Amino acid sequence: MTPLHFSFSSAFVLGLMGLAFHRTHLLSALLCLEGMMLSLFIALALWTLQFESTKFSTAPMLLLAFSACEASTGLALLVATARTHGNDRLQNLSLLQC
């Protein structure tokens, strides 16, 4: 494993661990998701450049578009949660209280 692959893999794993273990605020969960998507985007873009294939050249842009949609949905949920509950703590959210 090259140092470049190791750095992107460790960035993804660190984002995943942050999402799994530090689940106190919705904003920190969204930041961990964005870090994971950023590491996936850069790794996919470098993988496409490494193989010099034109078939997969649209894949990083498609991933970036989905990442932007995920970020906008997450921010909309963050604003809606902050307006209804007063804070963004994940402990206050429950699907059973609807």
Side-chain angles (χ1 to χ4, degrees):
M1 181 179 279
T2 64
L4 188 65
H5 289 109
F6 178 73
S7 64
F8 292 126
S9 298
S10 63
F12 182 80
V13 169
L14 283 174
L16 188 64
M17 286 175 51
L19 184 64
F21 296 127
H22 300 291
R23 294 181 295 164
T24 56
H25 292 280
L26 184 58
L27 185 61
S28 64
L30 290 174
L31 284 174
C32 290
L33 280 174
E34 285 302 312
M36 289 169 55
M37 290 300 284
L38 182 64
S39 66
L40 280 177
F41 169 72
I42 294 173
L44 190 61
L46 288 177
W47 177 71
T48 304
L49 288 174
Q50 182 180 7
F51 286 121
E52 297 175 357
S53 65
T54 58
K55 293 180 194 177
F56 302 115
S57 62
T58 59
M61 295 311 260
L62 186 65
L63 182 73
L64 195 62
F66 282 127
S67 175
C69 292
E70 175 258 333
S72 65
T73 305
L75 286 176
L77 287 172
L78 178 71
V79 169
T81 303
R83 284 184 181 171
T84 58
H85 295 288
N87 59 10
D88 68 335
R89 295 186 63 87
L90 291 176
Q91 293 173 350
N92 296 340
L93 302 178
S94 176
L95 291 175
L96 299 176
Q97 293 178 350
C98 295

